[in-house]
Amino acid sequence: MALKPRFSASPQEQRWLQAARDFARRALPAHEGPGGPEPPALDAVLRCLRSAGGGDLPLGYSFISISDLQHQQCVPCCSHLTWSTNEFKEWAHEGQGASPTQSALPRAYLILVGYLTNRRQKNEEELVDGCLYVKDNTGIIPCELLHLELEWLETLFLFPSWSYIPQTDQSAAGYLEILVDPVPVNLPKEVPHRIPVPYPASAAALLTSRVSCNKISKLTVAGELARLGPLLCIHHKTFFFLFLECFMSAVRVPVLVQKPNQLAWHRILQLGHKYTITGLSMSSLKKSGQRVFVTGVSSCLLPYCVEQVREQPLDRVWQGKSTQSSSLETAEQLSDSLDLGTEEERPRSTKESKIISYVGTVTKILDVQAGLFLLDDKVCLCLAYQQLLNAARGLRPGACVELINVHVLEKPLVSFPFIVFGACLSSTVVLKSFSRLSTPYQPPALSGNLYLQLLFRYNLGMPSYLWLVSLLEMFEERFSCFFGRRRLLLRSTHQNPGAAENFLVPLLQAVVPDRGETRDIYTEILAEIHQCPLQKYLTLNPPCQAPSLSAVCRLAEQKSWEGFSPSQLLSPVEAQHMGTQELNRRLTWSYCTLSAENFQPRLILLGVLRVSSRSSSLQLQDNRSTLPCVICHKDGSPFAHTALIGSLLQVQSFQLIVERFLQTDFPSWEHLENLEHVREKKSSVYVQFYFEDVQVLHAAEGRIHKVLKSGNSSSLRKKGDGSLTSKLETPEAKMIKLEDAKPDTHRNEKCEGGQSSTRGTSCVSRLFLVTQKEGLMLRNYQLPREEDGEGQELQSSFQATVLWLDRPWLWSHPQETGNLAKLEETVCDAEEGMTRQEALLLFMGKSLRWFPFLHLDGLYHFIVPCCSDLEVFDKLCFPPVPAKFLSRSSCPLCLPVQDTWHLQHETQICLTERQLAARAILTGMDQRISSIPEVLSDSFTGSLVSFFGEIVERTLCASPKNEKPSVTVGLQKQKGSLLTSDHSVKLSVSVASGSPVVIDIYIAAAYLRHLRGLLPGAKILFQNLERRISRFHNVYCTYIASSCVSIIALPASHLPFPSSPAGEASPPSLVFLSSLQPHLQNLPQARILCHLSCVLTLSLQWVCSLCSNIFREGRCTRHSPPCRSHTGVRQASARVLVEDGTGEALVLCRNRHVAAMLGLSLLDWEALQSCVQSRGSVTIQHGEATGTGCVEEPEDLIACYLRSLCRSPLICRPILLDFSLDRKPSRILQPVPLQLRNFRCGEVEFVSQVGPRPSLLCLNVEEVKQGTLNYLNGERIRRTSSHC
């Protein structure tokens, strides 16, 4: 029956009492005690409430059940039943001193009543794990107390002051912090009577004696608690050690507590207090043989009271038989299960940590999963080598902790900013006070904690562990928004390791190649001389780094500009003869190649593979930035793995390319060191690597392994039995979000990686073969559905010609489209004859994302999601031009590719010659790959050419004046191209490295935005270039609308830094002049041993660097309009006649080669140039015979000197000449027949037929010594006789 009030209750009190009765009926049912029914719980609760409130009921408070607290309270709160408002404000204000940026806990007016217990139900079984809980009839919740008495367990309490801390994940429940001792509703239990005990000094003698453990009976030990080990749970077994010290001496005895009902002792025990433990037996550890006391089922923990104990002599301890067998077996099994490892101590100088005690306040949780907490904003507490204290409950910012016997490690990791306090198994961490701040609870993972798994698996020391933590934090921050934290970190098992584990394990194996000795936790806890993994350490300099992509770009740009000088880009010998315009143009565009080893520590690239429809390029992406990438296969096959989209990639071997763009106004080469003339610096970064160097850490849908196992390339080839060897990918991996985010998109949307809604719905697919692909550029496509096409801007697009290989197919699920048997049948049928169904695919808008995946001779599927119409492809087709202008049968229909369609690459096929011929007839284009010598040949007749080649040199030059501005100029204006439209790029391409056969390819600057990777040393497949012939009969190619390039191989990775043209060219071959005429195009660079007959013309001049007029006496001579330039450039040219006995040739020499031809030393040449500077120019001209007229004035001493020098017999000497054909001679030589000429040798005159003199361009001149001359002449005679 309820207590009767002493006076009539008010209506408010009646309503409050009714709510209290409802609460008690629901949450506090009647409790049956051992002596019969106990008083109703509500009466006792009300009695406690009146006692706490001075006789009044707290009508401003309301009862709350455990279930309501967990489900209704979403933010941290506290309740103080007996406090006034001022007391609460003072308490909250004091708490905010620990962290001024955090708010204090808000106050809630709630009454909490429940049973305090150490048991909970799990899977219908009672579980005792050392944690404490508050429970009522509606639920159970974990709790933390600063003080606990053993008799409090299973007792009903009123909690006057408590805090509720929910988890950061609001879907899970939080826990309670009991701020003051709870008030028991019922009377406490009685204390036992007098107990006989031996003290630790006597008990220690038992542990060191040779008496068998079986001869020692149960005993009780009393002493002062000197050390309390951490609560450990290993292999689902929970235990801890405590050490009792003798009252009179420093003798300690270890006690192992492992019975489930005794784990709560860990909460009760307090260092320095005196205790009595009953029912102990002695056990010997299996491996070490060390003896410890072990609690039994009947053991009790009692506070030590001298009046209630009496000392027991040791000779009575081992009387009678022992019941130790079961406890001993448990201890031995435990010894087997607790073998952990420690990092092998390397033979290097190490530091030894200090051991201290410390009291501090938690100011920040650095990483709760890793067990890292910041104390007092200056030291880091690491609890990973223990297990987290009570699952880190209570360790919130603002909480006060006491650390006893922790290790101090100074600078364990170079990049770690704090001193580290490491708690080992001999350390004690005590929570002294709870936080008063409103911060949620971040629970550590109870299972699958990758931090601790790798820590113990590889026996990491503190430096290695902190490096591991930094890598995992980086990994989670960058990629959890794509895949979710749980999929990256927590789903890590040996059978199915997660992405983070795939990334970290090879790195840890390299850092810790051998685990060394195992970690003996018994020695660590029990040994008199302390040994643990934290005792010695070595400061770790991380061997590698994996920064964010934005940081990678920043580091690459910084390194490319470090120590950069424009003079590095030009040879001083060439630069001193350049005018201002040419000089600054040559500085406009350069590049720098960086590898992983160029960074310290070594760089590792991590990113999710994406493809952008705006830039039509592959990208690596993380949570903040993107990095464009170029991917190749080592066997030369194109990269087309659409299944990789959305996968997390790791690349350790790569080339970071930094394209540098300068705007300069250098007057001359002498000012290159003055950086004031650099007006603007910009850069662009991308990466290129081989697919074989990629490790897939996390596949988009877990199906990428088939692609990886298929080898370097995925080509479809026939086996002996006629079957096809290729494993196909399923489109399920492509149903993720392929687009990178819009510039103004929120970051969470940018990281989105969810699947499309097409999963599980019907779709239509169709198989096709790519026969031609054109480049990406602005085109004036106007779809026929558009009512008015006028005034619309050009749009970026590309097109591809394809052959349909089968009819459309309807599938109930996208996974079914990858039907290998059907594909084999379709491709085999194609051998009988190409289908005549041809289409021109138009890619615009979001479908531009397929540009880097679409390649010639590739076999693909188009998948139309959420569609069941088999005529979807035919309905969208339209003729490219009106039918009245061109019959429909003569041109393929155009099919605009829709944004929602998915492209699935199946394989690359190798067509037979018959199939290639059939395809050429259908497409009207011959896709044959020619060679560079064939393209250069005069007999070549094609206008569009395709060939393989290696880039020898990349040069930025002015666009030809006779070319009209391209419509693609608007592209670079819209997209902010870093090169202006008046530039073009000349690529000098050879057959292979060192080959003298070179062809030039010109590409307009507006196209370069989509053509990454065109670097010296790269091997490229050029397709559908336009072959042209200049007015000098030189063959070159230009990149046009139908052109396309594919990178076959990347430049060699051993190029110096900064990059230079790949490979060292072999010495030119030695030839005869008579052999040049038939091979003008095939041998543009060679060497001859010849005789210098005479100097025909010689010109030395100083020209203005701006306008190229004569520069005399420090100023330009131009008057209309006047030129104010004060910078001159010296230039020299000479035309000489050489012969080698088989023919003659005219050789054009420029600048430094003129001095070599004249045989002048460097000092003489500089003096001559200085004399010419005052005159502006000096020119010498004469014929082949002595006595021909000269144009210089007789009194000009410099001209007289040069004329005498040119006519001197010392000039006529044998030389070794490296040359190339002069591809732009002063006059175009027309083909002429052989002519008769007279030659005289002494008294004898000869008549011989000679051809026209070829024009050569001097590349190098070497003087020939007598020994070299004899050797070369012998070689010439030998080669001549072998051909006779």
Side-chain angles (χ1 to χ4, degrees):
M1 249 192 101
L3 292 176
K4 295 181 180 180
R6 290 171 294 179
F7 52 85
S8 177
S10 65
Q12 180 184 6
E13 185 175 352
Q14 291 178 0
R15 288 192 300 270
W16 189 90
L17 288 173
Q18 183 60 43
R21 295 187 192 97
D22 295 339
F23 165 78
R25 192 179 305 111
R26 183 169 65 96
L28 301 175
H31 184 67
E32 289 290 332
E38 294 185 350
L42 180 60
D43 294 344
V45 170
L46 294 178
R47 186 186 308 111
C48 292
L49 289 173
R50 290 184 185 277
S51 175
D56 296 329
L57 292 174
L59 302 183
Y61 288 75
S62 59
F63 289 92
I64 188 168
S65 65
I66 300 298
S67 176
D68 291 342
L69 182 64
Q70 292 174 321
H71 293 90
Q72 297 178 9
Q73 190 66 35
C74 300
V75 296
C77 67
C78 64
S79 178
H80 304 280
L81 188 62
T82 61
W83 287 11
S84 66
T85 302
N86 290 334
E87 288 175 326
F88 170 74
K89 289 182 178 180
E90 183 180 355
W91 175 83
H93 180 72
E94 292 175 356
Q96 282 189 287
S99 180
T101 59
Q102 296 284 347
S103 59
L105 282 168
R107 186 174 185 178
Y109 297 90
L110 301 173
I111 302 174
L112 182 66
V113 180
Y115 287 90
L116 192 63
T117 181
N118 63 340
R119 305 170 186 273
R120 64 184 177 95
Q121 294 293 124
K122 183 177 180 181
N123 299 329
E124 299 183 356
E125 293 184 3
E126 191 174 69
L127 179 65
V128 181
D129 53 5
C131 296
L132 297 177
Y133 303 90
V134 175
K135 69 175 182 179
D136 61 11
N137 201 40
T138 65
I140 187 171
I141 186 173
C143 71
E144 293 298 321
L145 294 89
L146 300 179
H147 171 235
L148 175 69
E149 299 293 342
L150 194 59
E151 59 269 17
W152 291 2
L153 295 178
E154 307 304 329
T155 302
L156 183 63
F157 282 98
L158 168 68
F159 300 93
S161 292
W162 51 272
S163 300
Y164 173 68
I165 311 298
Q167 291 192 21
T168 51
D169 180 7
Q170 295 185 0
S171 62
Y175 73 98
L176 291 172
E177 293 177 351
I178 309 302
L179 304 180
V180 299
D181 287 351
V183 178
V185 173
N186 300 316
L187 296 177
K189 302 174 183 177
E190 296 184 358
V191 196
H193 295 290
R194 196 178 183 91
I195 304 172
V197 300
Y199 294 110
S202 304
L206 292 176
L207 297 179
T208 57
S209 67
R210 296 185 179 182
V211 180
S212 173
C213 295
N214 294 328
K215 296 182 179 180
I216 299 177
S217 60
K218 298 287 186 179
L219 73 158
T220 301
V221 177
E224 180 180 328
L225 183 63
R227 181 155 64 93
L228 179 64
L231 193 67
L232 301 176
C233 180
I234 301 177
H235 292 176
H236 307 289
K237 189 178 293 293
T238 307
F239 64 96
F240 69 92
F241 282 91
L242 61 90
F243 294 81
L244 294 178
E245 187 174 78
C246 182
F247 301 137
M248 305 298 183
S249 65
V251 178
R252 297 180 181 181
V253 294
V255 179
L256 172 62
V257 181
Q258 58 178 339
K259 299 302 179 182
N261 61 336
Q262 299 163 0
L263 297 179
W265 294 3
H266 196 270
R267 305 296 194 98
I268 299 169
L269 295 167
Q270 298 184 52
L271 294 176
H273 289 222
K274 300 176 181 179
Y275 297 97
T276 301
I277 304 178
T278 67
L280 294 178
S281 57
M282 196 168 64
S283 175
S284 178
L285 299 181
K286 181 178 181 181
K287 292 187 177 180
S288 64
Q290 192 167 3
R291 294 185 175 187
V292 296
F293 289 109
V294 182
T295 60
V297 177
S298 60
S299 298
C300 295
L301 175 67
L302 303 172
Y304 174 79
C305 183
V306 66
E307 293 84 6
Q308 296 180 352
V309 298
R310 56 183 174 83
E311 185 172 4
Q312 181 180 14
L314 291 181
D315 55 2
R316 300 183 58 188
V317 172
W318 49 74
Q319 291 179 354
K321 293 189 177 181
S322 173
T323 59
Q324 173 63 24
S325 58
S326 60
S327 299
L328 179 61
E329 180 182 1
T330 303
E332 291 176 351
Q333 292 176 352
L334 187 62
S335 177
D336 292 336
S337 66
L338 300 184
D339 287 334
L340 303 178
T342 185
E343 184 177 6
E344 181 185 7
E345 189 173 315
R346 303 186 180 184
R348 294 184 289 174
S349 59
T350 58
K351 303 177 184 179
E352 189 161 352
S353 61
K354 300 177 182 178
I355 297 180
I356 65 168
S357 296
Y358 183 86
V359 177
T361 301
V362 179
T363 52
K364 183 179 180 181
I365 299 178
L366 297 177
D367 193 325
V368 69
Q369 305 298 334
L372 299 181
F373 303 85
L374 187 62
L375 302 182
D376 301 327
D377 287 324
K378 59 183 179 181
V379 295
C380 171
L381 170 62
C382 178
L383 299 178
Y385 291 84
Q386 290 188 352
Q387 288 184 348
L388 288 179
L389 178 67
N390 305 327
R393 288 190 291 268
L395 293 179
R396 298 185 299 116
C400 180
V401 293
E402 181 182 5
L403 311 177
I404 302 171
N405 295 333
V406 294
H407 295 262
V408 181
L409 295 89
E410 299 181 6
K411 206 67 175 177
L413 185 67
V414 171
S415 58
F416 197 72
F418 304 110
I419 297 175
V420 180
F421 288 171
C424 68
L425 296 181
S426 293
S427 306
T428 303
V429 180
V430 181
L431 186 63
K432 301 297 290 185
S433 66
F434 291 115
S435 172
R436 304 176 187 182
L437 301 177
S438 180
T439 54
Y441 169 50
Q442 302 179 29
L446 299 180
S447 61
N449 189 320
L450 189 59
Y451 294 90
L452 301 184
Q453 285 182 4
L454 296 178
L455 168 66
F456 293 116
R457 186 191 308 173
Y458 293 98
N459 311 318
L460 302 177
M462 182 65 75
S464 300
Y465 179 67
L466 291 178
W467 180 53
L468 163 71
V469 172
S470 67
L471 291 176
L472 273 174
E473 288 177 345
M474 171 278 306
F475 200 85
E476 178 185 355
E477 177 188 2
R478 292 177 58 190
F479 303 113
S480 59
C481 60
F482 293 98
F483 309 105
R485 183 182 180 280
R486 183 172 298 276
R487 296 178 68 185
L488 284 178
L489 302 180
L490 300 185
R491 288 178 54 190
S492 293
T493 62
H494 291 291
Q495 294 77 17
N496 183 27
E501 190 169 353
N502 287 332
F503 167 61
L504 291 169
V505 164
L507 302 180
L508 295 178
Q509 289 175 341
V511 174
V512 191
D514 187 8
R515 292 193 299 177
E517 298 179 0
T518 57
R519 181 180 179 184
D520 188 350
I521 67 165
Y522 292 112
T523 301
E524 186 173 334
I525 297 175
L526 303 174
E528 294 183 4
I529 301 177
H530 183 57
Q531 299 178 9
C532 77
L534 303 179
Q535 200 168 11
K536 295 182 179 181
Y537 67 99
L538 180 68
T539 300
L540 176 65
N541 193 359
C544 61
Q545 59 175 328
S548 64
L549 294 179
S550 59
V552 169
C553 295
R554 185 173 60 253
L555 289 173
E557 291 175 346
Q558 178 182 353
K559 189 168 285 291
S560 69
W561 293 114
E562 281 180 358
F564 171 77
S565 174
S567 60
Q568 299 172 352
L569 303 178
L570 300 173
S571 169
V573 177
E574 296 179 357
Q576 62 183 334
H577 305 291
M578 292 181 182
T580 299
Q581 186 176 4
E582 181 183 3
L583 178 68
N584 289 287
R585 183 173 61 245
R586 294 283 293 272
L587 298 175
T588 300
W589 189 26
S590 61
Y591 77 98
C592 172
T593 301
L594 301 170
S595 65
E597 289 72 23
N598 291 125
F599 299 87
Q600 294 299 327
R602 181 173 55 88
L603 196 64
I604 296 178
L605 286 184
L606 297 175
V608 177
L609 185 66
R610 298 286 187 177
V611 58
S612 170
S613 62
R614 295 193 302 276
S615 63
S616 303
S617 64
L618 295 173
Q619 296 177 342
L620 294 179
Q621 183 179 358
D622 60 11
N623 63 326
R624 293 184 179 179
S625 182
T626 59
L627 178 63
C629 60
V630 175
I631 308 178
C632 302
H633 279 285
K634 290 186 176 180
D635 64 355
S637 60
F639 175 79
H641 295 309
T642 53
L644 273 177
I645 299 176
S647 298
L648 179 56
L649 308 184
Q650 173 184 339
V651 190
Q652 298 195 50
S653 178
F654 55 85
Q655 296 176 359
L656 265 179
I657 310 299
V658 183
E659 301 277 8
R660 298 177 296 212
F661 302 89
L662 293 177
Q663 287 187 10
T664 60
D665 56 2
F666 289 101
S668 70
W669 68 279
E670 295 174 338
H671 300 80
L672 288 178
E673 299 299 331
N674 186 0
L675 298 183
E676 293 180 355
H677 295 282
V678 179
R679 299 305 179 195
E680 187 178 16
K681 292 195 306 183
K682 293 184 179 180
S683 58
S684 174
V685 183
Y686 65 93
V687 65
Q688 52 188 21
F689 51 85
Y690 286 109
F691 174 67
E692 289 75 11
D693 295 328
V694 171
Q695 180 183 0
V696 180
L697 300 179
H698 183 86
E701 286 294 335
R703 299 179 179 272
I704 197 63
H705 302 288
K706 295 189 292 184
V707 179
L708 300 178
K709 293 179 181 178
S710 61
N712 293 341
S713 64
S714 56
S715 49
L716 191 63
R717 306 182 186 276
K718 299 187 69 173
K719 295 194 298 186
D721 56 357
S723 62
L724 297 171
T725 62
S726 176
K727 293 187 176 181
L728 304 183
E729 310 146 17
T730 64
E732 191 177 8
K734 275 74 69 181
M735 300 305 175
I736 64 173
K737 181 175 179 287
L738 303 178
E739 282 296 308
D740 54 352
K742 302 294 182 184
D744 56 347
T745 304
H746 193 272
R747 197 180 86 180
N748 291 341
E749 296 176 359
K750 181 176 182 178
C751 296
E752 180 183 351
Q755 279 73 25
S756 169
S757 60
T758 58
R759 181 186 297 272
T761 61
S762 61
C763 65
V764 175
S765 72
R766 195 169 190 183
L767 189 69
F768 64 89
L769 174 69
V770 178
T771 60
Q772 182 189 358
K773 175 188 174 183
E774 297 188 1
L776 180 65
M777 60 187 62
L778 288 181
R779 290 183 171 88
N780 58 344
Y781 285 138
Q782 304 297 338
L783 300 184
R785 300 173 186 81
E786 299 176 358
E787 297 179 359
D788 185 10
E790 296 183 0
Q792 297 198 11
E793 295 183 356
L794 303 179
Q795 52 183 327
S796 182
S797 62
F798 76 97
Q799 60 189 31
T801 306
V802 302
L803 294 175
W804 297 119
L805 296 185
D806 66 347
R807 59 181 176 83
W809 288 77
L810 178 65
W811 308 92
S812 60
H813 194 280
Q815 288 183 342
E816 300 178 0
T817 57
N819 191 317
L820 179 61
K822 174 186 172 298
L823 179 62
E824 293 177 358
E825 179 183 354
T826 302
V827 178
C828 290
D829 291 343
E831 288 195 4
E832 300 300 327
M834 284 289 183
T835 176
R836 288 176 294 181
Q837 294 182 345
E838 189 180 6
L840 181 65
L841 303 181
L842 306 181
F843 294 83
M844 295 171 287
K846 291 186 177 181
S847 64
L848 292 178
R849 65 183 182 267
W850 304 121
F851 179 78
F853 291 103
L854 209 65
H855 298 285
L856 185 67
D857 294 334
L859 203 61
Y860 299 87
H861 260 122
F862 262 142
I863 300 174
V864 183
C866 299
C867 179
S868 58
D869 186 3
L870 293 177
E871 299 181 357
V872 60
F873 299 101
D874 296 332
K875 289 180 178 179
L876 293 174
C877 288
F878 62 91
V881 294
K884 62 181 180 180
F885 298 110
L886 188 64
S887 62
R888 182 169 180 171
S889 59
S890 63
C891 192
L893 294 177
C894 293
L895 174 62
V897 178
Q898 305 302 300
D899 293 344
T900 58
W901 292 4
H902 298 283
L903 184 72
Q904 175 180 323
H905 175 255
E906 301 295 353
T907 187
Q908 293 292 123
I909 66 173
C910 302
L911 298 179
T912 64
E913 291 294 332
R914 182 161 54 89
Q915 291 171 336
L916 287 173
R919 185 181 66 181
I921 295 174
L922 286 172
T923 61
M925 296 182 62
D926 188 3
Q927 297 289 335
R928 185 176 63 89
I929 306 297
S930 305
S931 65
I932 293 180
E934 289 176 347
V935 176
L936 292 173
S937 174
D938 293 336
S939 60
F940 194 88
T941 58
S943 60
L944 295 181
V945 295
S946 301
F947 54 87
F948 291 95
E950 180 176 335
I951 299 177
V952 176
E953 185 180 8
R954 188 184 75 172
T955 308
L956 188 66
C957 54
S959 297
K961 296 181 180 180
N962 58 344
E963 293 208 1
K964 298 180 181 180
S966 173
V967 295
T968 57
V969 172
L971 180 63
Q972 58 101 8
K973 290 181 180 179
Q974 294 174 4
K975 302 299 182 180
S977 175
L978 297 177
L979 288 177
T980 58
S981 59
D982 58 345
H983 288 104
S984 63
V985 176
K986 184 182 76 172
L987 300 178
S988 298
V989 180
S990 67
V991 178
S993 177
S995 172
V997 183
V998 177
I999 188 173
D1000 292 335
I1001 301 172
Y1002 292 87
I1003 305 176
Y1007 296 138
L1008 293 174
R1009 176 175 167 269
H1010 306 286
L1011 300 179
R1012 294 186 176 92
L1014 299 183
L1015 304 175
K1019 295 180 175 61
I1020 311 293
L1021 170 60
F1022 298 93
Q1023 296 173 280
N1024 297 331
L1025 299 179
E1026 183 179 11
R1027 182 180 183 268
R1028 294 185 178 183
I1029 301 178
S1030 70
R1031 61 191 179 94
F1032 299 104
H1033 305 291
N1034 297 318
V1035 176
Y1036 67 99
C1037 294
T1038 58
Y1039 189 94
I1040 59 175
S1042 61
S1043 303
C1044 190
V1045 298
S1046 299
I1047 300 178
I1048 304 303
L1050 304 178
S1053 58
H1054 61 272
L1055 291 178
F1057 168 78
S1059 295
S1060 63
E1064 292 292 335
S1066 58
S1069 57
L1070 192 65
V1071 298
F1072 295 110
L1073 288 175
S1074 59
S1075 65
L1076 293 181
Q1077 189 65 26
H1079 308 286
L1080 288 179
Q1081 293 292 347
N1082 291 348
L1083 194 61
Q1085 184 175 339
R1087 170 179 292 186
I1088 56 172
L1089 176 63
C1090 60
H1091 184 269
L1092 177 57
S1093 300
C1094 66
V1095 179
L1096 300 179
T1097 62
L1098 175 62
S1099 175
L1100 304 179
Q1101 60 184 359
W1102 284 75
V1103 297
C1104 175
S1105 62
L1106 290 180
C1107 63
S1108 299
N1109 283 277
I1110 296 299
F1111 190 86
R1112 183 183 299 118
E1113 296 180 350
R1115 64 176 180 269
C1116 180
T1117 59
R1118 192 182 75 177
H1119 299 291
S1120 180
C1123 179
R1124 298 182 179 180
S1125 173
H1126 298 283
T1127 304
V1129 177
R1130 60 185 183 183
Q1131 294 179 349
S1133 64
R1135 190 172 293 276
V1136 301
L1137 181 67
V1138 299
E1139 57 87 16
D1140 68 347
T1142 67
E1144 294 177 320
L1146 296 175
V1147 182
L1148 176 63
C1149 308
R1150 290 192 176 96
N1151 301 319
R1152 62 187 179 93
H1153 299 310
V1154 175
M1157 282 291 187
L1158 297 178
L1160 296 177
S1161 65
L1162 179 60
L1163 186 61
D1164 294 339
W1165 179 249
E1166 292 295 332
L1168 181 61
Q1169 292 285 357
S1170 299
C1171 294
V1172 175
Q1173 185 177 13
S1174 62
R1175 293 164 175 79
S1177 66
V1178 176
T1179 303
I1180 302 296
Q1181 295 180 356
H1182 61 84
E1184 299 177 15
T1186 305
T1188 56
C1190 302
V1191 297
E1192 71 275 3
E1193 295 294 333
E1195 63 272 11
D1196 192 332
L1197 297 180
I1198 298 300
C1200 293
Y1201 167 74
L1202 291 176
R1203 184 179 65 242
S1204 301
L1205 182 63
C1206 292
R1207 294 175 179 177
S1208 172
L1210 297 177
I1211 293 290
C1212 303
R1213 68 193 189 279
I1215 59 172
L1216 194 60
L1217 176 67
D1218 292 350
F1219 69 92
S1220 65
L1221 293 174
D1222 189 359
R1223 307 181 73 175
K1224 294 182 179 180
S1226 59
R1227 60 188 181 90
I1228 303 175
L1229 300 176
Q1230 300 297 328
V1232 295
L1234 297 177
Q1235 298 178 353
L1236 293 177
R1237 288 188 56 190
N1238 296 331
F1239 295 90
R1240 181 180 295 276
C1241 180
E1243 298 288 336
V1244 183
E1245 185 174 343
F1246 299 92
V1247 179
S1248 177
Q1249 287 185 338
V1250 295
R1253 297 168 178 167
S1255 295
L1256 309 180
L1257 186 63
C1258 177
L1259 300 179
N1260 190 39
V1261 178
E1262 295 181 18
E1263 301 293 336
V1264 183
K1265 297 181 180 179
Q1266 187 62 39
T1268 305
L1269 181 62
N1270 294 336
Y1271 170 76
L1272 293 176
N1273 280 327
E1275 287 294 311
R1276 293 176 58 185
I1277 295 173
R1278 182 182 60 80
R1279 291 176 55 193
T1280 304
S1281 60
S1282 65
H1283 290 289
C1284 294

